[in-house]
């Protein structure tokens, strides 16, 4: 019997991303009936499009004939047609037609993987099944998303860095007053502090002890069986116009081990006329500022070596970073154990 290095498998799973999760992969407006959209999710190439009923479909981006990317093809009556020799595949990954060859045996065969998809709050989510959870659980979204009084904008970006660093960065409120010290909104507050971590109903909150409401002072993570997100708040100076604080909701998607797609909703609780003026102000002025801040995060994370965590020396402020890693490791352990169990049953 071969000994399986379970610890290495768990570490690998954490690095690739947890399975059994919904991940946002694109903005809703990017998925069209007219042309397919190719992207990557946890190392797999996938293609998305809208079928005749406007429903989003997602399958492997791999033509069953010879492997051409289906995303180079076209949408034909709700199915996708390969650009190379015209094979038509439907949203379940079944070959519908091989136009170049009459009565081809490929027709009717389920040839590529298909994924469950859903749309929520202007984003498209794809479910990556796990051995212990082949069917998708409910996608739980932040409560502001279904609350009319909140208004926001979704912004996405691709970072050449492992997704774990994006999560670590979000679980680390202390970087705000250093990395973003020059920014319009994040320049305030003290540069020295302690951190505290509290359990919440569905996750945890990491917070600076010495200040709240000054700057980017805390982050909360909510963890559900099928997804995980975080939110934080940035208090605005008067000059930023009407409305309450600015809330950022973040989802992080592992595209592959070295690439992450981040999804940030920038939300504000504003109603009536103030809502319109905030939307205008955001587009006219604030959006650019926020891109600049996000760029600072991107450049920093991309500059860190992939294995930085093997040499790092954490200190008290990294409570949130440690907690997020512990959560990922626990979940990965559960998945790996379920997989090993299934494999050993299959081998008997
Ligand atoms: S590779 Fe797609 S039809 Fe040949
Ligand atoms: Fe940041």
């Amino acid at each position: 019997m071969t000994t399986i290095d379970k610890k290495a498998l768990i570490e690998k799973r954490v690095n690739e991303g947890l399975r059994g999760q919904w991940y946002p992969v694109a903005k809703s407006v990017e998925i069209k009936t007219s042309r397919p959209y190719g992207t990557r999710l946890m190392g797999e190439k996938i293609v998305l499009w809208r079928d005749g009923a406007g429903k989003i479909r997602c399958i492997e981006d791999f033509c069953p004939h010879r492997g051409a990317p289906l995303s180079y093809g076209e949408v034909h009556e709700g199915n996708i047609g390969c650009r190379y020799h015209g094979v038509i595949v439907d949203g379940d990954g079944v070959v519908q037609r091989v136009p170049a060859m009459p009565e081809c045996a490929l027709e009717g065969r389920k040839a590529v993987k298909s994924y469950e998809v859903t749309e929520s709050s202007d984003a498209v989510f794809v479910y990556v099944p796990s051995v212990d959870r082949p069917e998708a659980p409910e996608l739980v979204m932040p409560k502001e998303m279904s609350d009319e009084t909140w208004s926001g904008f979704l912004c996405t970006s691709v970072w050449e860095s492992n997704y774990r660093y994006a999560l670590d960065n979000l679980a680390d409120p202390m970087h705000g007053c250093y990395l973003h010290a020059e920014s319009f909104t994040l320049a305030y507050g003290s540069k020295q502090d302690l951190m505290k971590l509290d359990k919440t109903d569905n996750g945890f909150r990491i917070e600076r002890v010495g200040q709240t409401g000054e700057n980017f002072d805390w982050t909360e993570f909510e963890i559900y069986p099928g997804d995980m997100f975080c939110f934080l708040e940035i208090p605005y100076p008067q000059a930023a116009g009407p409305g309450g604080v600015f809330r950022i909701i973040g989802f992080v998607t592992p595209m592959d081990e070295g690439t992450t797609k981040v999804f940030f909703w920038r939300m504000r609780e504003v109603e009536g006329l103030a809502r319109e003026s905030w939307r205008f102000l955001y587009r006219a002025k604030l959006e650019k500022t926020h891109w600049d801040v996000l760029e600072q995060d991107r450049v920093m994370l991309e500059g860190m070596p992939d294995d930085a965590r093997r040499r790092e020396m954490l200190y008290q402020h990294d409570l949130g970073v440690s907690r997020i890693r512990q959560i990922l490791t626990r979940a990965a352990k559960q998945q790996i154990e379920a997989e090993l169990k299934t494999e050993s049953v299959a081998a008997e």
Side-chain angles (χ1 to χ4, degrees):
M1 200 178 101
T2 46
T3 35
I4 300 157
D5 185 351
K6 198 162 97 182
K7 222 174 137 218
L9 289 176
I10 294 169
E11 172 65 18
K12 186 163 178 282
R13 175 60 47 89
V14 174
N15 220 44
E16 289 168 351
L18 294 177
R19 303 189 65 88
Q21 296 283 299
W22 286 103
Y23 290 110
V25 299
K27 289 184 181 178
S28 282
V29 291
E30 291 173 309
I31 313 298
K32 304 186 189 311
T33 30
S34 51
R35 105 181 101 78
Y37 177 93
T39 182
R40 275 168 298 147
L41 178 57
M42 288 179 59
E44 292 243 21
K45 289 171 74 184
I46 55 172
V47 57
L48 298 104
W49 72 98
R50 282 181 202 271
D51 67 14
K55 187 174 167 233
I56 299 186
R57 312 304 304 259
C58 175
I59 62 175
E60 273 176 87
D61 193 8
F62 180 93
C63 175
H65 175 220
R66 294 232 332 268
L70 289 169
S71 56
Y72 293 4
E74 279 161 33
V75 180
H76 277 291
E77 293 166 354
N79 299 321
I80 192 162
C82 180
R83 176 83 186 222
Y84 209 2
H85 317 94
V87 165
I88 297 188
V89 186
D90 71 13
D92 297 322
V94 174
V95 177
Q96 284 293 328
R97 246 165 40 82
V98 181
M101 171 82 196
E103 300 188 21
C104 178
L106 273 179
E107 288 181 0
R109 289 256 296 274
K110 158 97 179 165
V112 291
K113 267 187 260 175
S114 54
Y115 295 87
E116 264 188 80
V117 192
T118 189
E119 279 186 271
S120 187
S121 313
D122 304 328
V124 177
F125 289 76
V126 170
Y127 183 68
V128 179
S130 60
V131 161
D132 51 342
R133 227 171 23 227
E135 302 293 329
E138 179 199 4
L139 165 67
V140 181
M141 291 297 283
K143 56 183 187 323
E144 297 80 11
M145 303 293 198
S146 48
D147 183 337
E148 294 277 289
T149 63
W150 285 84
S151 165
F153 299 89
L154 168 59
C155 114
T156 67
S157 186
V158 174
W159 294 351
E160 297 303 321
S161 142
N162 185 279
Y163 82 99
R164 304 172 64 169
Y165 289 2
L167 286 179
D168 286 352
N169 185 56
L170 286 159
D172 161 29
M174 204 62 207
H175 84 266
C177 67
Y178 285 90
L179 180 62
H180 308 307
E182 263 88 72
S183 101
F184 169 53
T185 47
L186 293 169
Y188 305 92
S190 71
K191 297 223 183 235
Q192 223 180 60
D193 217 333
L194 286 174
M195 287 288 165
K196 73 181 173 105
L197 189 140
D198 291 302
K199 251 178 91 56
T200 56
D201 286 349
N202 297 297
F204 69 93
R205 178 182 169 103
I206 174 87
E207 185 169 7
R208 289 180 55 158
V209 174
Q211 72 173 41
T212 298
E214 284 287 327
N215 192 327
F216 160 34
D217 303 320
W218 55 266
T219 308
E220 242 181 83
F221 279 79
E222 288 194 22
I223 295 125
Y224 295 97
D227 65 308
M228 154 171 156
F229 55 83
C230 68
F231 52 95
L232 53 98
E233 272 176 5
I234 298 179
Y236 259 14
Q238 282 303 314
V245 289
F246 194 58
R247 179 166 279 206
I248 297 184
I249 294 172
F251 279 74
V252 168
T253 298
M255 292 179 74
D256 57 39
E257 283 189 73
T259 321
T260 305
K261 191 159 183 179
V262 290
F263 288 74
F264 290 116
W265 280 262
R266 286 118 179 226
M267 316 271 300
R268 225 165 172 200
E269 201 172 11
V270 271
E271 285 179 277
L273 276 179
R275 183 186 184 96
E276 287 321 306
S277 72
W278 132 247
R279 292 190 76 86
F280 173 78
L281 188 75
Y282 181 84
R283 291 235 188 265
K285 178 164 172 23
L286 303 174
E287 188 169 13
K288 161 87 174 70
T289 319
H290 280 272
W291 268 111
D292 294 346
V293 169
L294 215 54
E295 274 298 283
Q296 293 170 334
D297 289 307
R298 181 186 67 77
V299 169
M300 183 54 72
L301 300 188
E302 289 186 352
M304 289 164 68
D306 277 344
D307 61 349
R309 63 184 171 279
R310 291 192 206 289
R311 290 184 56 192
E312 67 193 3
M313 295 192 244
L314 302 183
Y315 55 90
Q316 200 271 341
H317 290 176
D318 302 309
L319 274 176
V321 169
S322 307
R323 183 78 185 108
I324 202 82
R325 293 178 186 180
Q326 188 187 49
I327 289 166
L328 294 173
T329 306
R330 268 194 208 147
K333 180 165 180 269
Q334 248 178 36
Q335 295 188 355
I336 295 294
E337 280 171 355
E339 285 165 28
L340 292 174
K341 211 158 118 196
T342 321
E343 273 171 33
S344 70
V345 170
E348 270 164 20

